Amino acid sequence: MRLKLIVVVAILAAVTPLSLSFHSRAGAATPVFATQLALVNKALDSFGISIGEKSSLQKLKKNFIAARIAYKRSAVFVDYFFPAFRRSINGPDLQYSEDDNPDEIRDPHGFQVIERMLFSGGDHVDREALSK
């Protein structure tokens, strides 16, 4: 899951002592940030497991909401310390292009795309698309 990889990279960057600029700006927020991101990672693991187990749509929605809430609690840290990750994790459900390569149109990904897949109505969910 690409979203989980991005969150894990953010966690590693936040807690590694080699990131001097982060630690000079973070101060006492570092332990709080690390704790919040660990909770996000745990919630994303539960969501991924429920996808793999082919759980009911209700359980998928419940685990997604838990992951989204966990992310929202850490979003202020992500937005401040890692603004480049913001679009990848919680960007709009719209195609976009990068400033340095405007001819390449990229598909959206992140929480808002998953939300559309789960809550767009109907009883069917494309589990293969969710697992990407």
Side-chain angles (χ1 to χ4, degrees), residues 16-89:
T16 184
L18 299 176
S19 178
L20 298 176
S21 64
F22 174 78
H23 287 289
S24 66
R25 291 169 55 191
T30 302
V32 175
F33 184 37
T35 301
Q36 290 298 326
L37 287 178
L39 292 172
V40 172
N41 195 32
K42 183 178 177 183
L44 287 172
D45 281 342
S46 295
F47 181 60
I49 289 168
S50 64
I51 292 170
E53 292 177 344
K54 300 185 181 193
S55 298
S56 69
L57 181 59
Q58 282 304 110
K59 186 171 181 179
L60 287 172
K61 287 179 179 181
K62 179 183 172 189
N63 287 338
F64 170 76
I65 290 170
R68 183 87 183 248
I69 289 170
Y71 169 73
K72 287 294 187 178
R73 290 183 179 143
S74 66
V76 67
F77 296 109
V78 174
D79 291 350
Y80 182 76
F81 295 113
F82 305 101
F85 288 125
R86 181 177 175 201
R87 181 178 194 98
S88 298
I89 297 171

Side-chain angles (χ1 to χ4, degrees), residues 2 17 23 27 52-53 61-62 80 97 100 111 115-116 132:
R2 189 181 326 167
H23 287 289
E53 292 177 344
K61 287 179 179 181
K62 179 183 172 189
Y80 182 76
S97 65
D100 61 344
F111 280 115
E115 182 177 10
R116 175 184 41 85
K132 289 184 180 179

